[in-house]
Amino acid sequence: MSNQKYFIAAANAVIHMYELRQHRPKVLAHSPAEIDCACCELINVASAAAYAGSEEATAIKAAADYWKQTGNKPDSILQ
């Protein structure tokens, strides 16, 4: 598995963790704060990918920006 697959896997794990958190009693489901937190984590993954020279950084950042602007969670990030 190339390094690039690891970044996509990490980004998809952020999306999965967001979904898991929505079922916790102390989390306000799909709140702007929860979305912002998840988007920030995706941006962190994208930054690490960019630093490592991964081409997947662009797709991850685009997904985070789209989610933050529209509130529509991506199902996953595919590359």
Side-chain angles (χ1 to χ4, degrees):
M1 184 181 259
S2 71
N3 288 342
Q4 294 153 345
K5 300 288 185 195
Y6 290 117
F7 291 115
I8 293 296
N12 286 329
V14 168
I15 293 169
H16 180 68
M17 183 55 66
Y18 169 84
E19 279 302 315
L20 292 176
R21 287 181 53 80
Q22 302 320 297
H23 301 290
R24 296 187 64 164
K26 293 185 179 183
V27 173
L28 184 56
H30 308 292
S31 70
E34 277 293 305
I35 292 170
D36 188 54
C37 181
C39 289
C40 285
E41 294 302 328
L42 282 180
I43 298 274
N44 290 338
V45 173
S47 294
Y51 184 78
S54 172
E55 295 175 0
E56 275 71 15
T58 304
I60 297 167
K61 179 151 182 350
D65 290 342
Y66 173 79
W67 190 2
K68 193 167 189 167
Q69 291 170 2
T70 66
N72 297 323
K73 178 189 72 62
D75 291 328
S76 64
I77 300 172
L78 305 172
Q79 274 291 314

